[in-house]
Amino acid sequence: MLKPTIAEEVQEKFNIRVKKFREEIKSKYGITLYIASSSFEDVHPLELSKVWDLLFEIVEEFHPQYTKCYKNPLLTREREWMNYMHAYCLIVYRQLHYGPSVIGRFLKKNHASIIHSAKKGGDLLDCEDFDFSHKYHLLLNKVKKNVEFIS
């Protein structure tokens, strides 16, 4: 069974809390509460810019020569930098469920480039590329620590 994505974990915790709240209202007041909501497709657990900032915390620690890429991610195509980009795209696309067009606008890239980058990241994870896996897991752990749940 596949592990749930961060967005799916947030949605599940949200659903559990809503259910608990409905049960609490029913038991305290005898009122059945109906909650209408949209599909939450445009709601994400973390903003793209926050994930970008988290990425650059890692970049500054391990590869400070790429800090100039903060404002212009297209400055270089060196493999080490591209692995950071693939990790970013893979996480925001597959874990946080941002669309490729939204990510592309943020990074000033074409949506097809985002899809390719996420796919390349997935391929690098599958073949257990050490350099990529290290960067990916560093960023994924930072993202997970920064996802806050409403209590």
Side-chain angles (χ1 to χ4, degrees):
M1 185 171 161
L2 294 174
K3 288 175 32 177
T5 64
I6 294 170
E8 290 166 344
E9 287 177 7
V10 168
Q11 185 65 46
E12 179 64 25
K13 289 185 182 202
F14 175 78
N15 290 340
I16 290 168
R17 290 195 173 128
V18 167
K19 182 179 179 187
K20 184 178 174 185
F21 177 71
R22 289 182 68 210
E23 291 168 354
E24 188 177 308
I25 295 296
K26 178 73 172 176
S27 68
K28 280 185 180 178
Y29 305 106
I31 297 172
T32 302
L33 184 63
Y34 295 95
I35 300 175
S37 67
S38 67
S39 64
F40 296 106
E41 287 184 19
D42 60 341
V43 177
H44 302 281
L46 212 53
E47 294 294 322
L48 286 173
S49 59
K50 178 61 178 171
V51 180
W52 190 247
D53 290 342
L54 294 172
L55 175 70
F56 272 86
E57 288 176 13
I58 297 165
V59 169
E60 287 172 355
E61 183 177 348
F62 294 99
H63 294 96
Q65 69 269 28
Y66 297 123
T67 54
K68 63 187 179 287
C69 296
Y70 181 83
K71 296 239 187 265
N72 184 3
L74 306 176
L75 222 55
T76 182
R77 293 188 45 84
E78 292 174 9
R79 183 175 191 266
E80 286 181 332
W81 169 247
M82 292 310 297
N83 280 346
Y84 283 117
M85 290 297 293
H86 297 324
Y88 178 84
C89 289
L90 182 60
I91 289 170
V92 297
Y93 182 58
R94 293 211 185 134
Q95 290 287 328
L96 300 177
H97 297 268
Y98 277 95
S101 296
V102 174
I103 302 166
R105 278 192 297 276
F106 180 77
L107 294 175
K108 297 177 182 78
K109 294 179 112 187
N110 184 289
H111 74 281
S113 297
I114 302 305
I115 294 168
H116 173 75
S117 187
K119 182 182 180 322
K120 177 72 173 175
D123 292 345
L124 289 168
L125 263 186
D126 290 343
C127 72
E128 299 176 358
D129 179 276
F130 178 77
D131 181 59
F132 176 78
S133 295
H134 179 69
K135 291 172 171 114
Y136 173 81
H137 288 291
L138 284 171
L139 182 57
L140 184 61
N141 289 334
K142 279 190 174 281
V143 167
K144 285 182 176 181
K145 286 179 186 172
N146 278 272
V147 172
E148 295 184 22
F149 298 104
I150 300 170
S151 56

